[in-house]
């Protein structure tokens, strides 16, 4: 599941690295557009996370009819929400001047933004199908299919960005077109696998076009909405930072994009593990196996603390080399290396807060953590970053200091809440055994 999340991030990573060879302004445009795009992605993530939680609970408590119903209604909602996001972002693409970015960045961004807006149509239902397969302990086939979309995206980038094989050089627009085509291919591939797999077929709906069960729709929306807010809050913080970075010029915005890409790629480690933890906790809660639940959570926290410590060490030791692999602009390289040191500081805390939140989510505790992160990020972290950047005079790195502080506070508060909830559970019984899946 970690590799599956990395495969999605690799699409953006490929665009960033290949566009960085075109120019600094183009790289800044990618930063601007992606900051808005990933906010919509985060909003959609609550929907397929809700499908994952419901299916995992049904799997743990042996209710097959709930599994097929969750898939059918989740896929319907994902198609509708993907259409909504696509239309909303297409409309927004004509008013990018609202965000007051450097004029040269805004001018380049419109067409690329529209290609990414169209990619919501296949991406949201594809990730819903991915979550369904993972909740049934079948992550590997979907992983290989999604890695195939990354390879396809890189090949299409090579053709369309630089104009190889006799095709016109489309530059930034070519990267957007390649991403859209790769995500369309990914949706078709995953859907065909779900329908044709002998292991999946018994759990598919008997009728895809049966009447809607509004109780399932209400459940998915009620659970998915706070999860969407949870995930989107962190992406919204980075989106706000990207927009504020634009006030410091194209070089700062380009450096921010590289640092954010590196941070987001490393973030796929705790995100993938957190999704697995949500499913396993869902299995354990459905089977009332609280001893296993505690062991899973502790193991995940220890694993992610070690992993993020290693990625932080890489950012500190090889920040300049990482930045140089994206761009030839030495001013951007130097600024990116400074940003990556701050990223390294908060990596471990970010991993802990994501793991803690996912464990709470698996136990259906979604509302209070959402409000905790909202208050922490938007009433504390972002205002602190603004003060440091614009009033203390630290510039772009001040915004990163604000984000880092917010991550630390979130990790402490959410972990404390998780410990309190686990303590309230009944004492383990002599028959408690780890869940066998």
């Amino acid at each position: 599941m970690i590799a599956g999340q990395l495969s999605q991030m690799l699409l953006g990573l490929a665009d960033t690295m290949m566009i960085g060879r075109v120019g600094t302004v183009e790289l800044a445009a990618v930063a601007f557009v992606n900051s808005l795009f990933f906010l919509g992605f985060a909003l959609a993530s609550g929907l397929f996370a809700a499908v994952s939680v419901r299916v995992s609970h049904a799997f743990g408590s042996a209710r097959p009819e709930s599994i097929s119903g969750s898939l059918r209604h989740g896929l319907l909602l994902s198609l509708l929400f993907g259409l909504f996001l696509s239309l909303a972002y297409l409309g927004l693409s004509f008013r990018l001047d609202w965000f007051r970015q450097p004029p040269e960045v805004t001018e380049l961004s419109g067409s690329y933004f529209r290609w990414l807006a169209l990619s919501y149509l296949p991406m949201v239902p594809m990730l819903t199908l991915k979550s369904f397969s993972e909740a049934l302990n079948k992550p590997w086939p979907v992983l290989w299919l999604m890695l195939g979309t990354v390879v396809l995206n890189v090949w299409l980038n090579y053709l369309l960005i630089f104009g190889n094989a006799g095709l016109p050089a489309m530059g930034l627009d070519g990267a957007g077109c390649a991403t859209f085509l790769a995500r369309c291919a990914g949706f078709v591939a995953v859907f065909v696998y779900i329908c044709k797999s002998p292991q999946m077929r018994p759990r598919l709906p008997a009728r895809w076009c049966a009447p809607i069960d509004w109780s399932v729709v209400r459940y998915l929306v009620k659970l998915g909405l706070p999860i969407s807010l949870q995930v989107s809050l962190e992406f919204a913080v980075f989106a706000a930072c990207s927009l504020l970075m634009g006030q410091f010029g194209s070089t700062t915005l380009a450096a921010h994009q590289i640092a954010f890409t590196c941070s987001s790629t490393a973030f796929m480690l705790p995100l993938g593990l957190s999704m697995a933890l949500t499913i396993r906790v869902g299995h354990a809660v459905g089977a009332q196996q609280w001893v296993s639940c505690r062991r899973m959570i502790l193991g995940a926290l220890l694993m992610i603390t070690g992993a993020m410590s290693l990625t932080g060490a890489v950012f500190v030791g090889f920040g300049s080399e990482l930045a140089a692999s994206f761009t030839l602009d030495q001013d951007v390289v130097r600024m990116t290396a400074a940003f990556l040191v701050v990223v390294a500081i908060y990596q471990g805390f970010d991993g802990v807060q994501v793991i803690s939140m996912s464990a709470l989510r698996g136990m259906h505790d979604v509302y209070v953590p959402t409000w905790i992160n909202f208050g922490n990020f938007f009433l504390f972290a972002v205002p602190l970053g603004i003060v440091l950047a614009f009033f203390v005079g630290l510039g772009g790195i001040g915004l990163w200091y604000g984000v880092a502080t917010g991550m630390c506070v979130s990790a402490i508060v959410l972990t404390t809440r998780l410990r309190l909830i686990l303590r309230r559970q009944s004492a383990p019984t002599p028959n408690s055994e780890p869940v066998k899946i």
Side-chain angles (χ1 to χ4, degrees), residues 395-418:
I397 200 168
L399 294 169
W400 279 96
Y401 283 138
V403 171
T405 305
M407 295 296 181
C408 297
V409 173
S410 180
I412 294 170
V413 175
L414 290 175
T415 304
T416 301
R417 178 171 178 80
L418 177 60

Side-chain angles (χ1 to χ4, degrees), residues 85-162:
L85 285 174
S86 183
L87 293 175
Y89 272 62
L90 284 172
L92 183 62
S93 69
F94 294 99
R95 300 313 306 262
L96 295 179
D97 56 300
W98 286 351
F99 299 99
R100 298 185 179 182
Q101 298 300 292
E104 67 273 17
V105 172
T106 303
E107 184 179 353
L108 279 176
S109 299
S111 183
Y112 176 63
F113 192 83
R114 285 186 279 277
W115 279 114
L116 290 191
L118 289 173
S119 75
Y120 279 124
L121 292 170
M123 186 187 74
V124 179
M126 176 183 67
L127 292 176
T128 300
L129 293 171
K130 172 180 173 290
S131 295
F132 172 78
S133 179
E134 290 169 345
L136 296 176
N137 283 341
K138 296 295 180 183
W140 286 105
V142 175
L143 164 64
W144 296 121
L145 292 173
M146 297 186 78
L147 287 177
T149 67
V150 176
V151 175
L152 176 62
N153 182 65
V154 171
W155 179 65
L156 291 173
N157 274 348
Y158 173 75
L159 295 178
L160 299 176
I161 293 176
F162 304 107

Side-chain angles (χ1 to χ4, degrees), residues 24 29 31 69 98 154 160 212 238 270 279 309 349 388 405 409 418 420-421 429:
T24 299
W98 286 351
V154 171
L160 299 176
I212 295 175
F238 284 105
I279 292 171
S309 297
F349 291 99
L388 294 175
T405 305
V409 173
L418 177 60
L420 291 174
I421 289 179
T429 64

Side-chain angles (χ1 to χ4, degrees), residues 226-301:
I227 295 175
S228 293
L229 293 175
Q230 286 178 0
V231 180
S232 62
L233 282 174
E234 187 166 339
F235 279 97
V237 168
F238 284 105
C241 287
S242 293
L243 298 177
L244 292 168
M245 288 286 180
Q247 307 303 310
F248 298 105
S250 298
T251 297
T252 302
L253 188 56
H256 170 76
Q257 169 61 16
I258 297 173
F260 175 67
T261 299
C262 294
S263 174
S264 300
T265 302
F267 180 70
M268 294 303 106
L269 296 171
L271 182 61
L273 184 60
S274 73
M275 295 174 69
L277 181 64
T278 296
I279 292 171
R280 288 296 193 180
V281 168
H283 290 165
V285 171
Q288 293 296 302
Q289 296 285 353
W290 292 103
V291 173
S292 291
C293 187
R294 294 186 186 94
R295 291 172 180 168
M296 292 170 192
I297 294 169
L298 178 59
L301 288 171

